[in-house]
Amino acid sequence: MKYGYFDDRNREYVITNPRTPWPWINYLGNEDFFSLISNTAGGYSFYKDAKFRRLTRYRYNNVPMDCGGKYFYIKDNDTIWSPGWKPCKTELDQYECRHGMNYTILKGVKEEVTAEVLYFVPLKTWAEIQKLTLTNNSSHPKQLKLFSFVEWCLWNAASDMENFQRNFSTGEVEIEGSVIYHKTEYKERRDHYSYYSVNTPVQGFDTDRETFFGLYNGFEEPQVVSEGMPRFSEAHGWSPIASHYLEVELQPGESKDFIFVLGYVENHAEEKWESKNIINKDKAKETIARFDTSVKVDTALAELRQYWDNLLGVFTVDSGDDKLDRMVNIWNQYQCMITFCFSRSASYFESGIGRGMGFRDSNQDLIGFVHQIPERARERIIDIASTQFPDGGCYHQYQPLTKRGNNEVGGGFNDDPLWLILGTTCYIKETADFGILDELVPFDNNPAIARSLFHHLTVSFDHVVNNLGPHGLPLIGRADWNDCLNLNCFSNDPNESFQTTENKTEGSKAESVMIAGLFVVYGREYVALCRKIGKSQEADRAQTQIDLMVESIKNNGWDGEWFIRAYDFYGAKVGSKENEEAKIFIESQGWCTMAGIGQQEGQCIKALDSVKQLLDCEHGIVLNHPAFTKYYVEYGEISTYPAGYKENAGIFCHNNPWIVIGETEAGNGNRAWDYYRKICPSYLESISDLHKTEPYVYAQMIAGKDAFRPGEAKNSWLTGTASWNFYAVTQYILGIRPDYDGLIIDPCIPQDWKSFKVSRQFRGATYQVTVDNPHGRMKGVKKIVVDGKTVLSNLIPLFMDGKSHDVMVVL
Ligand code: BGC
């Protein structure tokens, strides 16, 4: 069953039934100020950091689902309703939610009144705009009462949910005209406040939550709204809110716009106050004035649209398959921007409190984003590298507000350093900005021990070389990419974190074949980079280590039909036919086949065939097989999940594209495409009831074949799946791949594709690529003609002339 449809022309997903199987959300903002918004107006806002600078409250894991948001209540005589259906849940005559590129429009129609709310964060603005349009479609005048509502969070989203003995006494607000200011803790250590305004005089307000709702009422029935009268309450402690009250008279056919601004301000210490206890409101007023008419708001929205036109203009495909085109041209790229902004911190599955930005995650998120805004990718690379240690190890996460490594989580994830090579080389291939390698980048955020970014890459490479185990394979440390394979944890204490506890370390023999494959792939990238910048001795040194690793994998990482996954603490095989459960894992098959290990010996093909045979199912490729059915203390968290979920034989979508790429390396376009399509959300729209999460974005996990409900997805939005799938489909299936000296064209497609077109802006020129496949091939470029001239290699040269160039390719 479907709950809406794609409107590709407007780049929107249009939800027509508010009762989606799970809240289907969108993100507003793309730089500093952000909001999450669901299809029924749930969600919250924050400045940069969802933990430390939370503006509004949200209730997690609540009944009913998705409580707390940016709500409007309309009282039309005795009928009380909300434009987004919730929170009132009054049946609407018509409902529509349009999620677009960083904006959402909710529309409700009730008793001949239409209420449409446009929500967005204008570019370079620390505020969310809500433009509410009320229209009277009836033939008689309407007297409506309108109440707005947001609930302030006391800034730190974690202590806001915990420290009630303090919180209930600290809340402070100021009200001036139509603006409600939230200034809790401003008089002491904070230099920021937030505000909520409307561009017209109000007839009343409320700022104390209990007064507004009545202590025992829910969001759906505020006492003040039922009574149709505001109480002009001023919050002192307890829970401050902001609600405007407006009396609206509409003649037949008349429309009125109301512009609400929910904003954030920072003031310098000397400029904090206007007078004693009265905050300096200048910056808030400036922002409010920038958006005080509909024309100004519409202009800001047009700028936002233009911004997305530009971003999405860099890579477009015309394949003739709408489902593919809308993912590649719109939604997958959009999701890449969102994951770039948030890593794994704030979604409807990530509370924004638990996790900062991941070292490995952020590097991988880069690869789907770097073509959009390379300058931001550059800054991110430097930020990430700054949390590395001099020996190449690194903090596993850092906080976006402080950009410092997160001590509570620590380090010791031995795959982490290698991803910096991926992020950096992808960035340079896109931009040719080799200068980034000379940037001085601190270790452990300490400028006194800064070295060049290139040096950071060297220590990243060497961190593996310096931490090898008995089989010549990389020691795994706390875990590798699979956070839940905790081979040194040995936990029997439910209060311990699997990921940060190592109860056994001395004498560990736990090695990772996945890191080994990863090392070969990104070690080679490191070598290529060294050669490119004339460091041939370093390249030779590195190559020797890579060759040794390839041998170690062939000798100690091969199980006969597939690559084993790891060696455990004691040196026993993990992911081998010798094991009772989890005989085969996806990760090592992905990385070793991408690395082409044992290509001549037929190991790659065998490994890929084993994936097809043992891991593939109707909904995608599961992580391991058979699923663990009991807890293995020597494996850790992976064996705690019920069979078929998450890292225990779930379809962990992030790693499916590794196999897709492995298949394209092997030339099997049919299979690569089949795998791509299985987890691609636009192809799953018609099974939304089962799939549950948004049909426009990837989910981290789809329940696997051993699960209770195979095919059910969880953890949508913030997942490395977004960047990896974009990377896999554009660079390996469509095969348009940036390289240091040009654009490589090397598609690997299903046999029955006749042709497709790609437009790619790259280093100051636009490449209009047409690929024809008259002989039903899967891979292998036979002929390339650029601007009418045949070229002999599939590396298309750089033009850098601001012009458009025709590239005709025949397979
Ligand atoms: C984490 C990743 C990790 C993956 C697999 C995700 O939730 O953010 O860092 O690689 O899970 O365990």
Side-chain angles (χ1 to χ4, degrees):
M1 176 175 167
K2 292 211 240 175
Y3 291 81
Y5 59 92
F6 286 94
D7 177 348
D8 294 337
R9 223 171 56 84
N10 288 308
R11 301 194 180 118
E12 292 170 343
Y13 191 80
V14 187
I15 301 163
T16 49
N17 177 350
R19 291 173 175 86
T20 46
W22 191 253
W24 285 0
I25 72 164
N26 193 14
Y27 286 80
L28 314 178
N30 51 45
E31 212 157 353
D32 293 331
F33 188 103
F34 298 104
S35 305
L36 278 63
I37 181 161
S38 74
N39 59 310
T40 57
Y44 58 89
S45 297
F46 58 96
Y47 169 78
K48 278 192 184 170
D49 193 312
K51 177 175 179 180
F52 290 127
R53 288 285 189 283
R54 186 75 70 101
L55 264 72
T56 61
R57 275 191 185 151
Y58 184 74
R59 279 165 186 71
Y60 301 93
N61 203 3
N62 199 26
V63 176
M65 184 58 200
D66 192 24
C67 268
K70 320 292 176 49
Y71 295 145
F72 290 100
Y73 299 90
I74 297 165
K75 185 165 159 58
D76 182 0
N77 292 317
D78 289 337
T79 311
I80 298 174
W81 59 285
S82 300
W85 182 58
K86 277 191 75 179
C88 293
K89 292 201 285 179
T90 307
E91 270 327 302
L92 298 174
D93 300 333
Q94 202 195 317
Y95 157 90
E96 186 180 87
C97 165
R98 290 183 170 263
H99 283 319
M101 305 288 102
N102 283 150
Y103 68 86
T104 285
I105 302 170
L106 289 174
K107 185 164 117 183
V109 180
K110 184 74 188 169
E111 289 169 8
E112 300 185 295
V113 172
T114 302
E116 183 173 297
V117 198
L118 159 72
Y119 296 86
F120 74 111
V121 174
L123 296 170
K124 308 278 173 213
T125 303
W126 291 358
E128 172 186 309
I129 307 297
Q130 304 160 355
K131 185 177 92 170
L132 166 68
T133 306
L134 290 174
T135 307
N136 178 2
N137 311 311
S138 77
S139 51
H140 49 87
K142 287 260 185 189
Q143 255 90 39
L144 305 174
K145 293 180 172 183
L146 171 70
F147 298 83
S148 68
F149 172 83
V150 300
E151 180 179 12
W152 303 115
C153 178
L154 306 183
W155 300 115
N156 180 324
S159 62
D160 185 63
M161 294 199 299
E162 271 171 13
N163 197 5
F164 305 116
Q165 61 80 26
R166 171 179 163 82
N167 297 348
F168 287 168
S169 295
T170 56
E172 289 188 293
V173 297
E174 257 181 56
I175 303 133
E176 192 189 275
S178 301
V179 194
I180 296 162
Y181 296 88
H182 173 229
K183 60 173 187 178
T184 300
E185 294 186 345
Y186 185 76
K187 70 172 165 304
E188 18 123 358
R189 292 165 301 171
R190 294 189 185 276
D191 56 8
H192 44 266
Y193 62 80
S194 49
Y195 59 91
Y196 191 39
S197 71
V198 61
N199 66 337
T200 184
V202 295
Q203 283 73 55
F205 62 83
D206 273 288
T207 67
D208 175 63
R209 191 183 72 189
E210 267 64 84
T211 309
F212 182 74
F213 283 108
L215 188 55
Y216 295 102
N217 289 346
F219 284 106
E220 71 283 7
E221 43 167 352
Q223 172 174 298
V224 155
V225 179
S226 314
E227 291 169 3
M229 279 299 289
R231 301 240 181 132
F232 299 85
S233 58
E234 278 183 43
H236 295 279
W238 298 111
S239 292
I241 61 157
S243 171
H244 305 96
Y245 169 68
L246 293 159
E247 288 170 358
V248 184
E249 190 173 321
L250 291 174
Q251 297 308 314
E254 192 186 6
S255 269
K256 276 187 185 156
D257 287 350
F258 302 90
I259 299 159
F260 295 84
V261 180
L262 172 66
Y264 171 86
V265 163
E266 281 183 0
N267 278 333
H268 289 300
E270 328 73 68
E271 294 166 355
K272 279 178 78 164
W273 303 101
E274 185 182 304
S275 56
K276 191 168 180 345
N277 290 337
I278 303 296
I279 61 177
N280 177 346
K281 307 184 176 67
D282 291 351
K283 288 186 183 168
K285 287 179 181 168
E286 269 169 42
T287 304
I288 292 168
R290 276 175 55 211
F291 304 104
D292 59 0
T293 66
S294 298
V295 172
K296 291 181 188 176
V297 170
D298 295 346
T299 307
L301 181 68
E303 283 165 9
L304 180 67
R305 283 188 195 268
Q306 181 62 48
Y307 174 84
W308 276 102
D309 283 349
N310 295 342
L311 292 186
L312 298 177
V314 178
F315 191 109
T316 56
V317 64
D318 175 4
S319 71
D321 176 347
D322 288 348
K323 294 191 174 83
L324 173 66
D325 291 359
R326 67 172 58 114
M327 284 317 292
V328 172
N329 297 340
I330 307 171
W331 292 99
N332 196 171
Q333 296 201 55
Y334 181 58
Q335 189 179 1
C336 286
M337 159 72 100
I338 303 300
T339 50
F340 174 83
C341 289
F342 298 111
S343 186
R344 307 295 169 268
S345 66
S347 74
Y348 269 30
F349 297 88
E350 303 280 7
S351 66
I353 298 168
R355 295 216 257 182
M357 311 282 284
F359 190 100
R360 76 158 80 93
D361 294 335
S362 294
N363 273 300
Q364 293 174 74
D365 293 342
L366 263 173
I367 69 174
F369 171 79
V370 62
H371 66 291
Q372 295 188 24
I373 313 180
E375 311 82 69
R376 286 185 69 188
R378 187 185 209 272
E379 183 187 349
R380 180 63 53 80
I381 290 168
I382 306 284
D383 288 348
I384 301 170
S386 306
T387 64
Q388 198 171 22
F389 302 117
D391 73 347
C394 42
Y395 281 108
H396 195 47
Q397 289 174 13
Y398 71 98
Q399 282 308 128
L401 192 68
T402 59
K403 295 188 174 179
R404 300 189 79 86
N406 191 332
N407 270 317
E408 283 152 46
V409 182
F413 296 78
N414 284 349
D415 63 313
D416 273 343
L418 288 173
W419 301 107
L420 185 63
I421 301 178
L422 166 72
T424 308
T425 52
C426 281
Y427 168 75
I428 300 176
K429 286 179 184 177
E430 182 68 37
T431 59
D433 172 16
F434 288 94
I436 193 176
L437 296 171
D438 302 324
E439 287 281 332
L440 280 184
V441 182
F443 284 110
D444 198 2
N445 291 109
N446 179 356
I449 43 173
R451 297 291 300 271
S452 70
L453 180 64
F454 181 78
H455 182 78
H456 281 258
L457 300 188
T458 308
V459 295
S460 295
F461 180 89
D462 284 340
H463 191 264
V464 173
V465 177
N466 295 335
N467 289 283
L468 296 177
H471 298 93
L473 298 166
L475 289 169
I476 197 167
R478 284 187 176 167
D480 60 23
W481 169 86
N482 190 332
D483 269 343
C484 298
L485 188 60
N486 319 113
L487 301 181
N488 298 315
C489 180
F490 290 88
S491 182
N492 281 310
D493 175 355
N495 296 320
E496 280 174 351
S497 153
F498 282 108
Q499 284 161 35
T500 58
T501 310
E502 288 174 80
N503 286 317
K504 290 193 183 193
T505 32
E506 284 303 293
S508 172
K509 295 181 182 158
E511 298 168 284
S512 163
V513 178
M514 161 168 174
I515 302 183
L518 192 70
F519 175 78
V520 174
V521 174
Y522 295 122
R524 286 188 191 135
E525 288 293 344
Y526 176 68
V527 168
L529 179 67
C530 289
R531 298 220 186 279
K532 187 76 205 140
I533 57 176
K535 292 188 191 290
S536 52
Q537 245 175 350
E538 174 62 0
D540 292 343
R541 178 189 78 91
Q543 188 58 53
T544 311
Q545 296 299 333
I546 296 165
D547 295 343
L548 289 171
M549 188 68 78
V550 170
E551 284 315 301
S552 302
I553 299 174
K554 282 190 192 169
N555 296 334
N556 303 314
W558 183 248
D559 200 49
E561 299 292 323
W562 57 78
F563 294 99
I564 64 166
R565 176 63 177 84
Y567 285 94
D568 71 12
F569 179 89
Y570 307 104
K573 288 179 188 165
V574 181
S576 150
K577 56 180 180 288
E578 294 166 18
N579 297 113
E580 210 181 298
E581 301 189 312
K583 292 170 186 288
I584 173 171
F585 284 71
I586 192 172
E587 301 99 320
S588 41
Q589 317 316 319
W591 286 100
C592 295
T593 58
M594 279 192 265
I597 290 164
Q599 208 145 40
Q600 272 99 39
E601 297 88 336
Q603 288 173 340
C604 275
I605 298 292
K606 262 194 194 160
L608 291 168
D609 286 346
S610 299
V611 168
K612 179 79 200 147
Q613 211 185 327
L614 299 169
L615 298 178
D616 182 36
C617 73
E618 185 191 344
H619 303 287
I621 311 167
V622 301
L623 192 143
N624 54 293
H625 179 79
F628 293 108
T629 56
K630 57 180 198 223
Y631 177 48
Y632 293 77
V633 72
E634 68 276 28
Y635 293 169
E637 188 170 2
I638 191 167
S639 60
T640 66
Y641 282 113
Y645 292 97
K646 293 279 284 178
E647 280 90 339
N648 184 16
I651 297 156
F652 212 94
C653 299
H654 186 151
N655 54 36
N656 278 226
W658 300 343
I659 300 297
V660 169
I661 298 174
E663 287 288 1
T664 63
E665 295 288 358
N668 197 338
N670 289 344
R671 249 196 219 165
W673 174 245
D674 188 44
Y675 288 146
Y676 170 80
R677 213 173 30 178
K678 275 187 182 172
I679 62 163
C680 183
S682 58
Y683 291 88
L684 306 173
E685 190 190 12
S686 60
I687 56 159
S688 286
D689 272 332
L690 171 64
H691 187 72
K692 242 187 165 132
T693 59
E694 298 90 338
Y696 41 93
V697 289
Y698 285 97
Q700 179 209 54
M701 196 258 330
I702 301 173
K705 54 186 172 174
D706 303 305
F708 177 70
R709 204 172 289 120
E712 183 183 72
K714 291 190 183 115
N715 304 11
S716 57
W717 281 99
L718 302 185
T719 161
T721 313
S723 54
W724 273 105
N725 271 297
F726 186 72
Y727 183 77
V729 71
T730 57
Q731 302 205 16
Y732 290 87
I733 294 181
L734 302 174
I736 317 285
R737 189 150 69 236
D739 207 352
Y740 296 118
D741 299 315
L743 206 54
I744 295 176
I745 314 257
D746 191 17
C748 181
I749 56 175
Q751 267 170 311
D752 58 5
W753 278 22
K754 296 277 172 263
S755 80
F756 66 88
K757 289 185 168 56
V758 165
S759 166
R760 176 64 153 102
Q761 294 167 12
F762 182 59
R763 305 235 202 116
T766 305
Y767 297 74
Q768 304 287 2
V769 185
T770 304
V771 177
D772 284 320
N773 185 25
H775 309 293
R777 301 241 156 82
M778 293 199 277
K779 195 176 178 170
V781 168
K782 201 170 131 202
K783 188 174 168 191
I784 299 192
V785 180
V786 181
D787 293 335
K789 287 190 206 93
T790 303
V791 294
L792 294 174
S793 111
N794 67 345
L795 177 71
I796 311 299
L798 297 167
F799 294 105
M800 300 189 283
D801 56 3
K803 293 193 182 135
S804 181
H805 298 273
D806 285 331
V807 183
M808 309 295 295
V809 182
V810 180
L811 297 187

